[in-house]
Amino acid sequence: MIRTTPPFRRTALAALALASAIALAPAAAADANNAPPPGSSPVCAFYDGDGPTAFGDRGERVSQVQCMLANRRYLPWEALDGVFGARTLVAVQRFQADHPPLLPDGFVGPRTWSALWHA
C-alpha cells in the first residue's frame, strides 16, 4: 500500500526537509558519487513508469529515482534506501534546476521522470 500525503502538507514537509538537508549536507558528497559501491550495479531496474513520487514516499518508484540520480551523480550511492527523504529531495531539486524548464520543486512527476530517463 502506498501512503500519500496531502499536497499542502507535502509542500510544508518538503520545505522543512530541504532546510534540514542543506544544513546537514556534506560538502564532499560529490566525491563519494564517482562509482557504485563494490558488488552493486549502476543499472536501475526497479520501476519503469512515471507515477507521482514525492517527499515521504517509499518503495520501487523512490528506489528508481534514487538510482537514476546516483547514476547522474546527484545522489551518493550510499543514500539509496527506497525512502524519499531530505537527501533525495535535495538531489531531485538540484537535478530539476539543472534541467530547465523543470521547476526545482522536488516533486517527481511525468516531466521529471522523462528528464531522468533521457538525461
Side-chain angles (χ1 to χ4, degrees), residues 3-17 55:
R3 192 173 145 223
T4 60
T5 306
F8 62 90
R9 287 198 54 219
R10 185 177 295 145
T11 303
L13 289 171
L16 178 61
F55 182 78

Side-chain angles (χ1 to χ4, degrees), residues 3 6 16-18 20 22 26 29 33 45 50 55-56 61 73 83 89 93 95 97 102 104 106 111 116-117:
R3 192 173 145 223
L16 178 61
L18 176 59
S20 299
I22 289 171
N33 226 0
D50 66 355
F55 182 78
R61 289 190 320 241
R73 298 186 177 175
V83 178
L89 176 65
Q93 289 172 324
F95 175 84
L102 297 176
R111 288 182 179 173
L116 282 166
W117 285 114

Side-chain angles (χ1 to χ4, degrees), residues 21-60:
I22 289 171
L24 300 174
D31 293 340
N33 226 0
N34 294 332
S40 67
S41 171
V43 176
C44 303
F46 302 103
Y47 174 77
D48 65 357
D50 66 355
T53 308
F55 182 78
D57 288 346
R58 298 171 177 265
E60 287 183 344

Side-chain angles (χ1 to χ4, degrees), residues 5 9 26 31 35 41-42 52-54 65 67 72 81 87 90-91 97 100 102 107 111 118:
T5 306
R9 287 198 54 219
D31 293 340
S41 171
T53 308
V65 168
C67 187
R72 288 147 184 82
D81 60 4
R87 288 177 89 177
V90 170
L102 297 176
F107 178 76
R111 288 182 179 173
H118 296 101

